[in-house]
Amino acid sequence: MSDYATDKNPEVTMEEIVALAKRRGFVFPSSEIYGGLGSTYDYGHYGVLLKNNVKNEWWKSMLVERDDIVALDSAILQHPKVWEASGHLAGFTDPLVQCLGECKRRWREDHLREANVEKGGNYDDPIVCPECGGELSPPRNFNLMFETHMGPVADDGNAVYLRPETAQGIFINFKNVLNFARKKPPFGIAQVGKSFRNEITPGNFIFRTREFEQMEMEFFVPPAEAQQWWEKWVEIRHNWYLELGIRPDFLMIRPHEADELSHYSSGTSDVEYLFPIGWSELEGIANRGNFDLTQHQEHSGESMEFFDQASGERYIPHVIEPAAGADRATLAFLVDSYFEEEVEGRKRTVLQLHPRLAPVKVAVLPLFNKEGMPETAREINTALRKAGIQTEFDSGGSIGKRYRRQDEIGTPWGVTVDFDTKDDGQVTLRDRDSLEQIRVPIEGLPEMIAGKLAEPWQSPKLDQAP
Ligand code: GAP
């Protein structure tokens, strides 16, 4: 990949992804019948299945494939002191500027300056409103936390906040987990859940929204091991995306410059993906040192120390944090898998998703609605579902149209029941990517599909590349 600032994903636009997501019922703008609510989205059936698969793969990599991480599901509403201790109340801000000219729109000052640099200017050049050219107000720090009130009366004494990250729920439970999970550093606590940020400029579909899901893991380590664990986690998380089919050329690791680091971090590397909007963060892997546990120890009065009985050492563990976004990862998988080609003179749009991420694994399709075909297809459908394989039974319309529909939602295999099935006990298995069709016995079909789902997979686009 050539130029970081100007590169954009050349294969698909955000408009094409948004259109497909709406057309096929993955993601819709929220509250659409009331005109929508800025930057919140609702996930439809296939969107739920896809995002669940992303989250399941994340959980699997954290909890099943290793035994040094435990799970947590903490509350969204936490004691306001949590946010005082974490630094969010004072410092979780973005620089807000408002147009003083005609349009009165609000902007993030840093984003306007970065856009200026992309166009060849300097970061400190004077800036004006990109919408109407009006003068901009001086920047003021705008806190991104959503505030609400606990109980029936809204006053300053009962203000609480919707969590802006899942991480703090983990830190405040560090001692609980230490006591009950019988773990000692190095060990991790993983959590998936909603976070809320009153972003000044949300946008680019589900890339930056005000309500989103995070997949975060805090890995507690002896201080002397922090650097090596940080490097290890950068590699592990980079590989996770590669193993799920993101092509290496569209993924990179970008270490933060010193002036980009968050207040808590002594080192952060982002895993970035080449979205249609350019290279952008998918996930950050931070070395948070002992900042969070120390802060919570000071503000709560509870000791956050770990006593190592073997060495007699007492210390506050350091923390390595891989922090990913479930919606952003879902968007990256949609973008990376989107493929258009011409087959027999007609455009075919297909999501070449990793089969484990695909919302539906097998489409079960009776060729016609007669001669026992729907009944046999239903039996096959039930057998696959009983084996835990997500299927879709579709008997409506021409077989070509049904294949196209399944291609657009990324279904890796189609099983067609035809005239010969009742004589030979076989069905046609169609492969989404190669379009190859082979006859396979009905007997053992669930096991065959389960075997295919367990196989390593790589994007067919890698073979298509010049
Ligand atoms: N605990 C650290 C933390 O929250 P972050 O970089 O602010 O770090 C982690 O967020 C990930 O959460 C991001 O890499 C991104 O994938 C996702 N994320 C953050 N803000 C988001 C937003 N407004 N909309 C969608 N995803 C977001």
Side-chain angles (χ1 to χ4, degrees):
M1 292 295 145
S2 50
D3 189 334
Y4 178 83
T6 54
D7 271 343
K8 306 237 180 303
N9 188 306
E11 298 169 343
V12 60
T13 63
M14 201 63 102
E15 290 71 31
E16 285 168 316
I17 294 293
V18 174
L20 174 75
K22 186 152 190 222
R23 184 165 76 244
R24 289 298 173 207
F26 280 87
V27 183
F28 318 101
S30 178
S31 316
E32 215 179 357
I33 60 168
Y34 292 104
L37 175 71
S39 101
T40 50
Y41 288 91
D42 296 339
Y43 282 70
H45 180 64
Y46 299 126
V48 172
L49 292 175
L50 173 60
K51 188 157 64 137
N52 277 351
N53 291 339
V54 171
K55 290 185 286 184
N56 286 342
E57 287 298 322
W58 187 88
W59 275 124
K60 197 168 82 183
S61 72
M62 294 290 163
L63 299 183
V64 181
E65 289 165 9
R66 37 191 317 141
D67 62 2
D68 53 0
I69 298 177
V70 294
L72 180 77
D73 187 2
S74 70
I76 286 175
L77 297 176
Q78 293 161 25
H79 197 291
K81 280 197 168 167
V82 170
W83 308 112
E84 204 181 299
S86 68
H88 283 81
L89 259 179
F92 193 53
T93 57
D94 279 335
L96 168 72
V97 288
Q98 184 165 13
C99 172
L100 302 173
E102 225 164 84
C103 76
K104 308 286 184 246
R105 276 187 64 171
R106 296 185 175 89
W107 305 93
R108 256 180 75 170
E109 187 203 23
D110 53 335
H111 282 178
L112 297 186
R113 294 196 179 282
E114 281 158 17
N116 210 19
V117 172
E118 278 182 27
K119 286 186 209 136
N122 293 314
Y123 193 83
D124 293 327
D125 286 349
I127 45 171
V128 290
C129 173
E131 184 77 9
C132 70
E135 193 191 334
L136 293 170
S137 70
R140 76 177 167 86
N141 286 335
F142 172 76
N143 196 299
L144 301 187
M145 282 200 293
F146 275 101
E147 186 178 327
T148 184
H149 294 88
M150 201 80 144
V153 183
D155 62 37
D156 285 350
N158 60 11
V160 289
Y161 303 90
L162 302 188
R163 67 178 177 204
E165 61 172 16
T166 57
Q168 296 304 322
I170 297 180
F171 296 127
I172 60 175
N173 277 292
F174 170 68
K175 269 296 164 95
N176 281 337
V177 175
L178 206 55
N179 291 337
F180 299 111
R182 301 177 60 230
K183 294 279 177 213
K184 53 184 254 177
F187 80 97
I189 306 177
Q191 168 155 234
V192 173
K194 287 250 167 138
S195 292
F196 303 82
R197 295 182 189 177
N198 200 0
E199 299 279 1
I200 298 170
T201 47
N204 292 313
F205 194 37
I206 50 173
F207 179 83
R208 190 186 309 283
T209 51
R210 294 191 168 112
E211 173 179 345
F212 54 96
E213 263 185 295
Q214 289 187 304
M215 309 184 287
E216 296 197 290
M217 196 275 293
E218 310 300 324
F219 203 71
F220 300 91
V221 300
E225 295 177 21
Q227 179 68 21
Q228 83 197 52
W229 275 109
W230 178 53
E231 287 163 17
K232 207 179 270 195
W233 274 108
V234 171
E235 193 189 330
I236 294 172
R237 294 303 306 150
H238 184 218
N239 284 341
W240 184 80
Y241 293 99
L242 294 174
E243 278 159 24
L244 287 172
I246 301 266
R247 290 156 299 157
D249 281 354
F250 287 72
L251 204 60
M252 73 166 170
I253 296 168
R254 191 182 67 81
H256 278 207
E257 306 284 340
D259 61 355
E260 275 184 90
L261 291 175
S262 312
H263 58 281
Y264 52 74
S265 172
S266 57
T268 297
S269 277
D270 285 345
V271 177
E272 291 200 343
Y273 178 71
L274 187 58
F275 286 97
I277 51 171
W279 284 106
S280 307
E281 174 186 341
L282 252 186
E283 163 161 0
I285 299 106
N287 180 349
R288 296 181 75 123
N290 62 6
F291 175 82
D292 304 273
L293 291 182
T294 305
Q295 287 292 106
H296 287 301
Q297 175 168 289
E298 277 171 17
H299 283 72
S300 69
E302 287 277 329
S303 165
M304 294 290 163
E305 279 183 342
F306 169 73
F307 177 60
D308 187 344
Q309 278 173 338
S311 67
E313 219 188 327
R314 198 177 280 284
Y315 62 87
I316 294 184
H318 284 213
V319 173
I320 308 304
E321 174 195 68
D327 309 271
R328 215 174 266 189
T330 301
L331 179 61
F333 288 118
L334 281 173
V335 168
D336 208 65
S337 65
Y338 187 97
F339 182 63
E340 282 180 5
E341 64 179 346
E342 211 172 280
V343 179
E344 291 162 9
R346 289 182 54 202
K347 186 172 104 173
R348 179 174 94 111
T349 304
V350 52
L351 291 183
Q352 295 177 325
L353 287 163
H354 190 299
R356 284 208 303 276
L357 294 182
V360 173
K361 313 300 180 202
V362 182
V364 184
L365 315 163
L367 191 58
F368 294 110
N369 260 327
K370 54 185 180 188
E371 310 219 4
M373 283 183 238
E375 292 74 14
T376 307
R378 284 236 177 257
E379 282 166 22
I380 294 171
N381 192 46
T382 305
L384 287 164
R385 283 188 168 245
K386 275 194 178 155
I389 295 165
Q390 187 76 43
T391 64
E392 190 161 284
F393 179 87
D394 187 359
S395 60
S398 77
I399 192 73
K401 270 205 184 124
R402 283 182 272 166
Y403 281 150
R404 304 270 150 163
R405 214 159 37 216
Q406 295 299 331
D407 286 343
E408 281 208 340
I409 62 165
T411 306
W413 301 289
V415 163
T416 308
V417 176
D418 57 27
F419 290 111
D420 295 330
T421 301
K422 69 173 180 322
D423 299 326
D424 65 5
Q426 297 200 343
V427 287
T428 301
L429 185 75
R430 172 191 184 261
D431 184 282
R432 173 197 70 195
D433 302 327
S434 66
L435 293 177
E436 190 187 36
Q437 302 201 10
I438 52 168
R439 296 290 287 172
V440 296
I442 296 174
E443 182 82 38
L445 194 59
E447 293 75 13
M448 179 188 177
I449 297 293
K452 282 175 174 288
L453 284 168
E455 281 168 14
W457 183 89
Q458 68 166 38
S459 169
K461 287 185 190 174
L462 287 173
D463 301 329
Q464 290 145 3

